[in-house]
Amino acid sequence: MRLHRLDITAFGPFGGSQTVDFDELSAAGLFLLHGPTGAGKTSVLDGVCYALYGAVPGARQSGQGLTLRSDHAAAGTRTSVTLELTVAGRRLEITRQPPWERPKKRGSGSTLDKAQSWLREYDGTAGSWKDLSRSHQEIGEEITQLLGMSREQFCQVVLLPQGDFARFLRADAEARGKLLGRLFDTHRFAEVEKRLAERRRTAEAQVREGDAALLADAHRMQQAAGDAMELPELAPGEPGLAEAVLSAAAVARATAREQLTIAHCGLAAAESGQAAAERDLADVRELDRLQRRFAQARERATLLEERADGYHQAQARMERARKAEAVAPALELREAAEAEHRRAASAEARARGLLPETFAEAGAAGLASAARRSAEELGGLDSARRAEQRLGRLVAERADLEHEERSDEDVLQEAETWLAGWEESRAGLQQGVESAQEAATRAEQLAVQQEPARKRLAAAQQRDEFARDTDDAQRQVIEATERALKARAEWLEVKEQRLNGIAAELAAQLTEGEPCAVCGATEHPAPARKDAGHVDRETEERALAASQRADEQRAEAERRLAFVQRALAAAQGEAGDTSTGELAVQVEELEREYTRARGLASALHTATEQLRQAERERERRLTAQREAAVRTASRGARRDALDRERTALEAELAEARGDAGSVAVRAAQLERQTALLTDAADTARVAEDTAQRLKDADARLADAAFRAGFDTPGAAAAALLDDAAHRDLQQRLDAWQAEEAAVRAVLAETDSAEASRQPDADVTGAERAAADAAGRVREAASARDAAARRCAELDRLSARAATGLRRLAPLREEYDRVARLSALAAGTSADNERKMRLESYVLAARLEQVAAAATVRLQRMSSGRYTLVHSDDRSGRGRSGLGLHVVDAWTGRERDTSTLSGGETFFASLALALGLADVVTDEAGGVRLDTLFIDEGFGSLDDQTLDEVLDVLDALRERDRSVGIVSHVADLRRRIHAQLEVVKGRSGSVLRQRGGG
């Protein structure tokens, strides 16, 4: 990689555009980059790094690139970095612009532009540049791939920071490992260690989980086996656990099977004894049953003999009842005839009691004849009843005619009175309608005028308010501008004071024995002192923040003034020049007139409706007047016809009603008399018929009783039984006969008679013996079942444990293998004699290469005295692998690099940095690094050592390299002719290049 040209604009301390021609500087092979502290030497290197990777080294990268912009740059100048270089045989140009907060093109304020990047390649054939990409990601990937280094590696290899390598020489193994790990990307080896450790933990957890499950099964087997099994005192994961559990399980299974065999034999003996006891119990129960059966039969026979008389009486009673059943139909017929006759006689007595005494002795035929005569007289009164009803309707109609006549007279009188004032009322209503219509038209006109007047009034009020706001905003702009100018002047004054005293501030950070960050010297004979008015960084930052806040306040005041002025112009255009008071009076007058007109117009509907109602009322009254006159003319003729018909009907009714008050009363008397006579005649005939039927029934009953053997019908009736009594008597007779037959059968049984002659059976004793035998069987069966369950459970758990062990065997083998590898990679295995981790082992090989490459230059810088060697010895109880020693040829002894002096440490770290650059370059794929930068540290060397160091650096030109030294040691300016000077000033730093090839 060779740098050709660097263009930076508004970057870091450089307020304007600056250019570095590396081709001119590189022609001399060795060039010097110098300038006062804080001028921006490191910013040149930051520009190279930013162009390549889009970021600057270390902590200087913050704020997404916004802090890269120079504070001295003009507001319209954008920060930009362009680098032209050759890498891998390709000439490229990279341009990067960080995010930029620029002023808005329209209005006030600022806006943020995104970062931009360009990558171009020079086409030698065409003689022009061609665009390759504008993508940040693509450009970053392309540059990283071409260089073969990350940003961290580039900063360590190309921008050689001597302070870091000095610390590297004095650091312990862990610190060296971190730096080498970043440079050589050995993270993958650390990941291998981590993955092995994770796999070991996972396999160990799985093995422990399997052993825990096996031990849980062992506890279950111990619970099932009782005292016949003892568990091994081993924890999950310990060796021998599986074999101990399987051995104990085998012993427990054998013991359980022996107990099962014993239980089977005991159950068989108990079942045999139970069968014998059950047979004895059955025999005793049968003997007891026969003895009780025979004894009960004899007791029942004695009871039958005692009740024999009652049985014979019941037989005789049943015989008499059977004979009486032949007379029962005649008895029922006689009772029915008697009941019917009694009802008929009672009805006849009631009917005769309602007749006059003149009909008391009349027979059925006389009563029927009288009823026919009354009916004939009632039929003659039908015509009189109709005439009476017609007379009532005539009287009612005559009264209605008189009422209608009075009503029509009232209607005619009222209509004449109302119609007399119609014309006057109609004129008043019409005038009200016309007034309301005129008011509605006026209200519509005023409503159209109201809205423009209100808008002008509102605009005038805003005009007055914006006029006041404009005065206030102008005053605030003037005040904010004065404050901003004052704050910026104060900040510039404070910054200048701090720059004048920056040496004292840097001197305050010096530590005795530690190298100076500016010159690299470890001795500080006369450090600068702070005076009474010294300004520190915090004071400058507070002044800068106050200045920025004042600028923001000024910009905000200007934006507000512009907004208020635009609003004032708009309000003046709408309101005109009329004052707000005059417009308010006009609006108020329009509102009063509009309210008055709306009030008058609201009565339009009411007035129109009143007029329509009055016209409808006039039509109604005229119609009623005409109808009343027509009814009065037709009512006289109808009244005369009704009077003539009434006279004729009254004469006819006087003849028909006789002594009764009316025809209806006379008709009611005849209807009741006819009904009573008819009823009495019917009941008399029925009584005569029932008396004849009763006489015939008595004769038939006497004949039936004689034939059945009874002296009188009463005796036959007394011998009859109802259904319930007959069933009860028959059941007693049947029960007697069944009981007698059953007793005889039992007494005739041979086995019962023989059992009665034996001693009494002992059922209780036999049941007790059978219960004892059954209990012994249950106990034996329970013991057998428990033994069987124990055997089955032990077999099941043993089989599951064996299956688990077979499944766990491959995992246990995997765990043993991974655990050995993990311990070996982590440096904890006994096989790893030096306790080196895998990553440390790889880094040790790299460090050995770096030490060999650095020794070539270190021997030349130290006149052959010093040699760097790698050491893998352990330090104390720590791990080995990353030790670095220096061999002193003058003493022949090997010692730690931390014992070197300040100057020796510098050229040793320089040799180490150059060696590391060679090794990292080879590691990155052999990309050639033609441009290197070395940062500070030369102030700690004496003249002879400085000459030797410069000779080594100058020898790099043999490999066509150019080396840039960053330092402000005065002696170097005389020794190195090609120089790039950084000059600082109040408006920013500038670059001066001279002495190139």
Side-chain angles (χ1 to χ4, degrees):
M1 179 197 72
R2 175 176 294 278
L3 304 182
H4 299 293
R5 181 184 181 88
L6 175 67
D7 295 323
I8 52 178
T9 301
F11 183 84
F14 304 103
S17 297
Q18 304 294 324
T19 299
V20 179
D21 189 349
F22 286 109
D23 286 338
E24 182 181 352
L25 293 173
S26 299
L30 194 64
F31 63 91
L32 177 66
L33 174 60
H34 69 93
T37 301
K41 300 185 296 297
T42 305
S43 296
V44 175
L45 307 183
D46 288 347
V48 173
C49 185
Y50 180 74
L52 291 173
Y53 294 98
V56 296
R60 297 191 294 278
Q61 175 65 25
S62 62
Q64 298 181 348
L66 292 174
T67 57
L68 301 178
R69 178 172 175 80
S70 174
D71 294 334
H72 303 283
T77 302
R78 177 158 190 173
T79 301
S80 177
V81 177
T82 301
L83 176 65
E84 185 180 338
L85 74 160
T86 297
V87 59
R90 299 169 62 185
R91 184 150 184 163
L92 304 175
E93 182 189 78
I94 309 169
T95 301
R96 293 188 186 269
Q97 295 179 349
W100 179 35
E101 188 174 359
R102 62 169 177 80
K104 291 183 178 179
K105 295 180 180 179
R106 296 179 180 178
S108 58
S110 61
T111 183
L112 182 66
D113 285 350
K114 296 181 179 179
Q116 297 184 14
S117 300
W118 294 270
L119 176 62
R120 299 195 304 170
E121 182 176 4
Y122 184 76
D123 187 351
T125 303
S128 61
W129 293 92
K130 63 178 181 179
D131 293 334
L132 294 182
S133 177
R134 294 176 63 90
S135 169
H136 302 297
Q137 183 176 358
E138 291 180 357
I139 295 174
E141 292 175 353
E142 180 73 14
I143 296 301
T144 302
Q145 182 177 3
L146 290 174
L147 294 177
M149 291 181 286
S150 64
R151 177 170 63 91
E152 290 78 8
Q153 291 176 317
F154 179 84
C155 294
Q156 292 288 344
V157 174
V158 178
L159 311 179
L160 301 179
Q162 296 309 299
D164 288 350
F165 285 95
R167 285 191 295 273
F168 180 82
L169 287 173
R170 300 188 184 97
D172 56 10
E174 183 177 358
R176 288 178 183 145
K178 291 181 179 179
L179 176 60
L180 293 174
R182 292 196 303 270
L183 292 177
F184 294 106
D185 190 20
T186 58
H187 177 69
R188 59 187 183 278
F189 298 102
E191 284 296 318
V192 170
E193 297 177 24
K194 183 178 178 183
R195 290 290 301 277
L196 286 173
E198 290 177 354
R199 289 186 59 184
R200 179 189 61 78
R201 288 193 293 270
T202 302
E204 181 181 7
Q206 292 174 345
V207 170
R208 287 182 178 274
E209 183 179 357
D211 285 350
L214 176 62
L215 199 56
D217 288 338
H219 282 290
R220 296 188 184 96
M221 285 188 277
Q222 184 184 36
Q223 293 176 356
D227 298 333
M229 181 178 178
E230 294 184 0
L231 291 180
E233 296 181 356
L234 296 174
E238 294 186 14
L241 175 64
E243 292 77 7
V245 170
L246 292 180
S247 177
V251 174
R253 289 198 304 275
T255 304
R257 287 191 175 87
E258 292 177 1
Q259 293 175 350
L260 178 60
T261 303
I262 296 171
H264 273 300
C265 296
L267 178 60
E271 289 176 345
S272 178
Q274 182 187 23
E278 291 292 340
R279 289 193 298 272
D280 293 342
L281 177 60
D283 293 342
V284 171
R285 283 177 176 170
E286 180 63 19
L287 177 60
D288 179 66
R289 186 185 67 80
L290 293 175
Q291 288 176 346
R292 285 188 287 103
R293 177 182 176 81
F294 190 79
Q296 290 173 359
R298 295 186 65 177
E299 291 176 359
R300 288 157 60 191
T302 302
L303 185 60
L304 287 174
E305 291 177 359
E306 293 175 357
R307 297 178 180 176
D309 292 340
Y311 171 69
H312 297 312
Q313 291 176 2
Q315 282 184 324
R317 180 74 178 88
M318 180 62 75
E319 183 64 26
R320 288 177 57 82
R322 290 194 185 97
K323 292 180 180 180
E325 288 177 357
V327 188
L331 284 171
E332 294 175 358
L333 182 60
R334 198 270 173 190
E335 289 175 358
E338 184 179 9
E340 185 180 11
H341 179 62
R342 283 197 299 270
R343 289 194 297 272
S346 177
E348 181 185 7
R350 287 195 300 271
R352 287 184 180 273
L354 296 175
L355 293 176
E357 295 181 358
T358 55
F359 300 104
E361 299 299 333
L367 292 173
S369 177
R372 283 194 297 275
R373 290 194 297 273
S374 295
E376 291 174 356
E377 185 177 357
L378 179 61
L381 290 178
D382 288 342
S383 176
R385 278 202 299 270
R386 289 194 294 273
E388 188 175 40
Q389 294 173 357
R390 173 60 181 161
L391 179 60
R393 290 196 295 273
L394 288 176
V395 173
E397 188 176 356
R398 185 69 171 77
D400 291 341
L401 288 175
E402 292 177 357
H403 181 268
E404 290 176 0
E405 185 174 3
R406 289 193 297 273
S407 297
D408 288 342
E409 290 177 356
D410 294 339
V411 169
L412 290 171
Q413 181 62 34
E414 183 180 358
E416 290 176 359
T417 303
W418 191 88
L419 291 172
W422 160 246
E423 293 298 333
E424 184 178 354
S425 299
R426 181 177 179 280
L429 293 173
Q430 186 64 36
Q431 183 178 0
V433 170
E434 293 174 354
S435 299
Q437 289 176 342
E438 294 176 356
T441 302
R442 176 60 177 165
E444 293 176 356
Q445 296 173 351
L446 293 173
V448 173
Q449 300 173 6
Q450 233 176 353
E451 186 61 25
R454 288 198 189 99
K455 288 183 178 179
R456 288 189 64 194
L457 175 60
Q461 293 171 345
Q462 290 182 347
R463 178 195 61 196
D464 297 345
E465 183 178 354
F466 287 142
R468 292 189 297 271
D469 292 345
T470 300
D471 296 338
D472 295 340
Q474 289 175 344
R475 184 175 62 258
Q476 292 175 2
V477 168
I478 295 172
E479 294 174 355
T481 303
E482 293 175 352
R483 287 195 300 270
L485 293 174
K486 181 180 178 182
R488 182 168 182 84
E490 291 176 353
W491 168 61
L492 293 175
E493 182 179 356
V494 169
K495 184 174 182 179
E496 185 175 3
Q497 292 176 3
R498 182 176 176 233
L499 292 175
N500 293 333
I502 195 67
E505 185 175 336
L506 293 174
Q509 300 176 1
L510 295 175
T511 303
E512 189 64 31
E514 295 294 330
C516 173
V518 178
C519 65
T522 57
E523 296 180 358
H524 320 294
R529 304 296 180 183
K530 296 182 181 179
D531 55 17
H534 177 73
V535 177
D536 56 10
R537 180 171 183 169
E538 293 182 357
T539 304
E540 180 187 355
E541 290 178 349
R542 285 196 300 271
L544 175 60
S547 175
Q548 292 174 345
R549 286 196 301 272
D551 286 339
E552 292 174 357
Q553 293 173 357
R554 175 188 55 77
E556 180 63 25
E558 291 175 350
R559 287 195 296 272
R560 185 174 181 275
L561 175 60
F563 172 78
V564 173
Q565 288 175 343
R566 289 194 299 272
L568 175 62
Q572 286 177 340
E574 185 175 356
D577 298 331
T578 307
S579 65
T580 305
E582 294 176 358
L583 292 174
V585 171
Q586 294 176 5
V587 170
E588 185 177 359
E589 180 64 25
L590 284 173
E591 289 179 349
R592 282 198 302 271
E593 292 182 6
Y594 175 73
T595 302
R596 184 168 57 254
R598 283 292 303 273
L600 294 175
S602 63
L604 175 61
H605 176 73
T606 303
T608 305
E609 186 62 27
Q610 288 176 351
L611 178 59
R612 284 199 295 269
Q613 289 179 356
E615 291 176 346
R616 288 195 296 270
E617 181 65 18
R618 174 176 176 275
E619 293 296 329
R620 188 183 66 78
R621 291 183 180 275
L622 288 174
T623 303
Q625 187 180 36
R626 289 194 296 269
E627 293 175 351
V630 173
R631 288 194 298 273
T632 300
S634 62
R635 216 170 7 247
R638 181 59 180 164
R639 187 168 47 246
D640 294 340
L642 291 176
D643 291 341
R644 289 193 297 272
E645 186 177 3
R646 177 179 180 182
T647 301
L649 289 174
E650 288 176 348
E652 181 181 354
L653 291 174
E655 180 180 358
R657 63 175 173 263
D659 297 335
S662 63
V663 175
V665 173
R666 177 59 181 164
Q669 292 175 353
L670 290 175
E671 287 176 356
R672 186 172 183 278
Q673 181 178 342
T674 302
L676 293 175
L677 289 172
T678 301
D679 186 39
D682 293 338
T683 55
R685 283 194 299 272
V686 172
E688 292 175 355
D689 294 340
T690 55
Q692 183 60 40
R693 286 196 291 274
L694 179 59
K695 184 177 179 182
D696 296 340
D698 285 337
R700 285 195 295 271
L701 176 59
D703 182 58
F706 178 75
R707 284 197 301 273
F710 292 100
D711 296 335
T712 62
L720 282 172
L721 293 174
D722 57 15
D723 293 341
H726 187 277
R727 283 193 303 272
D728 182 60
L729 183 59
Q730 186 64 46
Q731 288 175 357
R732 283 190 293 160
L733 292 174
D734 294 342
W736 176 276
Q737 293 171 0
E739 179 69 11
E740 185 179 19
V743 169
R744 287 175 183 171
V746 172
L747 293 177
E749 291 177 354
T750 304
D751 53 354
S752 296
E754 184 178 354
S756 66
R757 292 191 290 272
Q758 295 181 12
D760 292 341
D762 186 7
V763 178
T764 304
E767 289 177 347
R768 188 181 305 110
D772 293 341
R776 288 191 292 274
V777 170
R778 287 193 297 273
E779 292 175 358
S782 298
R784 190 273 316 273
D785 294 342
R789 286 194 300 272
R790 185 180 303 113
C791 287
E793 183 67 9
L794 289 173
D795 291 340
R796 184 184 68 82
L797 291 174
S798 297
R800 188 168 74 174
T803 302
L805 287 176
R806 288 193 298 272
R807 187 172 58 250
L808 190 62
L811 185 61
R812 194 182 298 275
E813 294 176 0
E814 174 69 13
Y815 165 65
D816 293 339
R817 183 170 61 256
V818 172
R820 288 194 302 271
L821 288 175
S822 177
L824 187 63
T828 59
S829 173
D831 298 333
N832 192 334
E833 296 179 357
R834 297 189 179 276
K835 304 298 181 183
M836 291 178 64
R837 292 171 48 246
L838 177 61
E839 185 181 14
S840 299
Y841 178 78
V842 176
L843 291 177
R846 292 289 186 266
L847 183 58
E848 190 172 2
Q849 296 174 354
V850 172
T855 296
V856 176
R857 295 179 175 84
L858 179 60
Q859 286 182 340
R860 185 172 179 183
M861 293 180 187
S862 62
S863 302
R865 178 180 180 181
Y866 292 119
T867 300
L868 283 176
V869 294
H870 162 252
S871 174
D872 56 4
D873 294 336
R874 298 175 59 184
S875 59
R877 299 182 61 185
R879 299 178 182 178
S880 60
L882 296 179
L884 192 62
H885 291 174
V886 61
V887 178
D888 190 346
W890 290 2
T891 63
R893 301 187 62 181
E894 180 179 326
R895 53 192 173 97
D896 193 89
T897 54
S898 60
T899 61
L900 295 174
S901 66
E904 292 171 339
T905 299
F906 167 73
F907 61 69
S909 61
L910 177 59
L912 185 65
L914 294 173
L916 181 64
D918 293 339
V919 174
V920 172
T921 299
D922 296 338
E923 178 73 14
V927 176
R928 180 179 177 83
L929 302 178
D930 297 321
T931 305
L932 297 177
F933 294 90
I934 301 175
D935 190 2
E936 289 298 348
F938 292 87
S940 61
L941 304 178
D942 56 27
D943 292 341
Q944 181 181 355
T945 304
L946 181 60
D947 289 338
E948 293 175 348
V949 169
L950 291 178
D951 290 341
V952 171
L953 296 178
D954 191 57
L956 293 177
R957 290 187 297 175
E958 299 173 0
R959 300 176 63 181
D960 197 20
R961 283 183 175 177
S962 61
V963 179
I965 298 176
V966 182
S967 178
H968 42 43
V969 175
D971 193 35
L972 290 176
R973 301 176 194 171
R974 295 190 301 272
R975 295 171 181 264
I976 302 174
H977 301 289
Q979 298 180 8
L980 179 65
E981 182 182 5
V982 184
V983 182
K984 68 177 180 180
R986 292 181 60 87
S987 59
S989 299
V990 295
L991 295 175
R992 295 176 182 173
Q993 183 173 333
R994 63 178 178 270

